[in-house]
Amino acid sequence: IELIVVKQRKGDIIEVVNEVNNKINIYKEKYKGIVHLETFDDLSFYVKRRLKVLKSNGLVAFALVVLILFTFLPPISATMTAMGIPIAFFATFCVMKALGLTVNLLTMFGLIMVLGIIVDDGIIISENVFRYIENGVNPHKASIMGTDEVAAPVLATVLTTIVAFSPLMFMSGIIGKFVKYIPYVVIIALVASLVEALFILPSHLADFARTHHKG
C-alpha cells in the first residue's frame, strides 16, 4: 500500500513530515513484526538542507556586520548599534507571526538580504550623537539633539530602500506569488530598524555613553 501525503498551501512541510513520522512510529510499535513501514521521497530533506545553508550564511553575515561595526566605530557606539539587529529581527518575527508569514526559504532570504541594511540608520544616529558627546554635551541632551538633527535624512534613507523593493510585491504570475514575500520581510525589518534607531537607540546611548572631550 502506497500513501502520498500532500500538505496544504499554508502548511509547514517540516511540521507535516514530523507529524507523519510520529504517526508512523506509533504504528510501527503497534504492529511490530506484522506490518513493515518505510518512507520515501521526503521533500523536507531538501528544505532542511537549504534552511541550514541560509542559517549558516546568516550567522556569518551577522558576525561580519558586527566585526565591521567594532572596527570603525567606538566600542559603546558599536555595541549599541549592533543591539539594533536582534531588536529589529525580534520585532520583524512578531509582525510576521501576526500577518501569518512563516519562516521559510524566501522569508529567510529576505532577512539575510536586509541584515546589513538595518544598521545603516543606527550608524548615522549613533555617530551624530557621539559627535555631540565628544564636544562635551551631556549624553541625554546629545541623544536628543543628535537624533533630531538626522531624523529626516535617516527616514529618507529607509523610505528610498522600501520604494526600491516595493515593485516586487506587485509581480504577476507564479513567480510573483513567491517573490512578494521577500519585500514583505524587507519592509517590515526596515520599519522595525527605523523605530529602533529613532527611539530605542538614543535611549541606550543616553544611558550608557559618557561625556568625553576631544584632545
Side-chain angles (χ1 to χ4, degrees), residues 80-178:
M80 296 300 103
T81 304
M83 285 179 61
I85 298 176
I87 293 174
F89 271 24
F90 176 76
T92 301
F93 286 131
C94 291
V95 175
M96 286 173 59
K97 184 176 181 180
L99 296 177
L101 299 176
T102 60
V103 178
N104 51 51
L105 295 177
L106 292 173
T107 55
M108 287 190 66
F109 178 74
L111 289 173
I112 294 175
M113 183 184 297
V114 80
L115 180 61
I117 304 176
I118 60 177
V119 295
D120 291 351
D121 43 7
I123 292 174
I124 296 172
I125 291 175
S126 180
E127 274 299 285
N128 200 48
V129 170
F130 264 83
R131 180 173 66 87
Y132 281 102
I133 293 176
E134 288 177 344
N135 290 329
V137 180
N138 178 274
H140 285 78
K141 187 176 180 179
S143 298
I144 297 173
M145 294 172 60
T147 303
D148 182 66
E149 190 174 42
V150 296
V154 165
L155 178 61
T157 301
V158 174
L159 289 179
T160 53
T161 307
I162 290 176
V163 170
F165 280 95
S166 295
L168 293 176
M169 295 189 296
F170 306 103
M171 288 183 63
S172 58
I174 297 177
I175 296 179
K177 292 181 179 180
F178 291 97

